[in-house]
Amino acid sequence: MKELQPSMDDWQRLYDAATEFKKIKCWEWMLDSNIFGVQNPANGEIAYCCITGYLGEHFALVLYLGTEGLGIYLKAQSGRAMESPIEMFAGQKCLMASFEDRETLSKEDRGIIKKLELRFRGRNQWPQFRSYQPGYPPWNLTKDEAEYLTAALRQATQMSLRFREDPDILNPPKKNRYLVRIPSKAHDGYEWEDKWLKPELLEEKQEIVVPPINEIRLQKIKKTIKRRGGSWEIDFFFAPTPVKEGDDRPYYPYAILCVDSYQGIVLNANMIKPADYMIEFPNNLMSIIEDTQVIPNEILVKKAEAAKLLDLIASRLGIRLKVEKRLEMLEQAQFSMLQFFR
């Protein structure tokens, strides 16, 4: 189903809200650690708002969407960086209203500004609105996203002014609580109130649900392939070059790489859609075993998620499965692959 696009009235409200937000220059007293939530009036989702620009580098309001988005924000704040800049960039789940130079805007951005007869001049003055979803490059807003970002900009303006008067307003009464602006319907729109909430992400660790594997295929491998030996290093990671198919939104494919731990020989390199990786990653391992006609003694991975996805196959085939922080041979092959893309 194709997402609805914002109307010109939607864009007008969004640009008005962004202009008011920028006018108060709240990044002069707000840090990116002064985070608060805004609940989406349409579906109840909570976004965690982060205001950037205190150091004068990038002026923006970032909405980290839901518990997944909050987890990404907390990981970045803690200094536990992802594998690479592309992993961090392609792993974002947020909406952003930023203020850019005119040259940064797309043709579509400039077209909307022209239709609305708006005027902006100078550096870091031109509003730009983008949607970030894991596995995808930044993209234009849908109607629902534009409406949510409009509401969040208005609430961020109010919260910033309140914070300037009372810097203790965001100090939580208990650990892992966030002040969240909650809407309720009123005759002329919405009324908003403060609530201190604990995100689900912090209440319960999210489990990886592993899709079922092809049992017939696995049993055939176990029955017909008798040769064993060696150690393999396997990982999946975002490739830096987006792929576009037809009119669909471009996406960053996952690259799957399998390398012999001792010789550094690349046994397999494959590209898959990010939406399919939980199914294709285990299937890819079975394909490598079928192609090489070898069941390895050991498989080394870097991600706990990768180990979870391969655990059933490894246990059925008697393969030792280990998570390691560094995989030297695989990292060398990954570096060569990324250099090729660049």
Side-chain angles (χ1 to χ4, degrees):
M1 180 178 176
K2 191 174 180 61
E3 296 277 5
L4 291 176
Q5 301 304 304
S7 66
M8 292 311 296
D9 286 341
D10 294 328
W11 285 122
Q12 183 69 66
R13 287 188 286 269
L14 180 55
Y15 276 94
D16 287 346
T19 300
E20 290 301 311
F21 174 78
K22 187 177 188 306
K23 189 181 298 183
I24 66 171
K25 299 182 179 179
C26 54
W27 38 75
E28 292 183 355
W29 65 86
M30 296 284 287
L31 302 175
D32 60 5
S33 57
N34 301 137
I35 192 168
F36 56 90
V38 175
Q39 187 177 52
N40 189 337
N43 60 18
E45 181 182 36
I46 294 173
Y48 297 86
C49 301
C50 170
I51 294 170
T52 68
Y54 185 78
L55 298 178
E57 293 179 351
H58 187 241
F59 306 103
L61 173 68
V62 186
L63 275 64
Y64 290 95
L65 299 173
T67 54
E68 183 181 352
L70 177 61
I72 294 168
Y73 165 84
L74 293 175
K75 186 173 184 179
Q77 287 288 310
S78 71
R80 293 180 291 118
M82 296 189 180
E83 294 291 323
S84 65
I86 185 63
E87 291 281 315
M88 176 63 78
F89 183 72
Q92 294 292 328
K93 186 176 184 181
C94 62
L95 302 179
M96 183 184 295
S98 61
F99 300 92
E100 310 287 350
D101 298 344
R102 187 182 186 281
E103 294 74 22
T104 307
L105 270 59
S106 69
K107 181 180 178 181
E108 290 79 6
D109 295 329
R110 294 193 293 270
I112 293 168
I113 290 172
K114 184 177 181 180
K115 285 182 181 179
L116 294 175
E117 298 182 351
L118 299 175
R119 297 288 185 269
F120 304 102
R121 295 177 65 86
R123 294 178 58 81
N124 303 314
Q125 298 296 319
W126 297 74
Q128 184 181 71
F129 311 106
R130 290 293 184 268
S131 169
Y132 293 75
Q133 292 293 330
Y136 296 88
W139 202 242
N140 300 321
L141 301 183
T142 65
K143 180 179 178 65
D144 290 343
E145 290 172 335
E147 291 175 351
Y148 190 14
L149 189 51
T150 300
L153 279 162
R154 290 171 176 164
Q155 293 306 308
T157 300
Q158 293 184 27
M159 283 300 306
S160 300
L161 294 173
R162 291 171 61 190
F163 181 85
R164 184 172 61 177
E165 297 301 316
D166 180 12
D168 293 330
I169 194 173
L170 296 181
N171 292 341
K174 294 182 180 180
K175 186 179 179 180
N176 295 332
R177 298 297 195 278
Y178 293 87
L179 190 150
V180 180
R181 296 289 287 162
I182 304 292
S184 58
K185 285 188 176 180
H187 68 279
D188 58 347
Y190 292 95
E191 293 180 351
W192 296 80
E193 62 176 332
D194 296 345
K195 284 189 179 180
W196 288 96
L197 301 178
K198 184 176 181 179
E200 294 179 5
L201 177 70
L202 303 178
E203 292 177 352
E204 182 178 346
K205 188 176 180 179
Q206 294 180 327
E207 291 294 326
I208 300 169
V209 179
V210 180
I213 63 172
N214 187 329
E215 288 284 353
I216 296 175
R217 184 182 184 188
L218 184 58
Q219 288 301 320
K220 184 178 179 181
I221 288 173
K222 187 175 182 180
K223 183 178 179 180
T224 60
I225 299 179
K226 302 302 181 181
R227 185 182 169 196
R228 289 181 171 272
S231 174
W232 295 354
E233 300 175 4
I234 304 179
D235 192 22
F236 59 88
F237 49 89
F238 284 115
T241 304
V243 173
K244 183 170 175 57
E245 298 177 347
D247 295 329
D248 293 338
R249 181 174 181 169
Y251 63 88
Y252 289 107
Y254 265 131
I256 301 178
L257 199 56
C258 179
V259 180
D260 184 287
S261 300
Y262 302 125
Q263 303 179 52
I265 298 172
V266 175
L267 301 173
N268 176 268
N270 199 8
M271 296 287 180
I272 56 173
K273 291 184 178 180
D276 300 334
Y277 82 97
M278 295 187 75
I279 294 175
E280 293 301 326
F281 188 57
N283 285 341
N284 198 73
L285 173 59
M286 289 194 284
S287 295
I288 302 169
I289 293 173
E290 290 167 340
D291 292 342
T292 60
Q293 288 293 293
V294 175
I295 297 175
N297 291 327
E298 179 181 64
I299 287 178
L300 307 176
V301 297
K302 296 182 72 172
K303 301 180 179 71
E305 183 180 11
K308 185 80 172 178
L309 293 172
L310 300 183
D311 182 64
L312 181 57
I313 296 175
S315 61
R316 294 282 184 85
L317 298 180
I319 302 170
R320 291 191 303 273
L321 183 60
K322 295 173 61 178
V323 179
E324 299 283 355
K325 289 184 179 180
R326 297 297 306 271
L327 298 177
E328 182 178 353
M329 292 299 185
L330 187 138
E331 289 170 8
Q332 290 179 13
Q334 180 180 357
F335 178 79
S336 297
M337 176 183 282
L338 295 179
Q339 288 295 107
F340 172 78
F341 280 116
R342 293 192 183 98

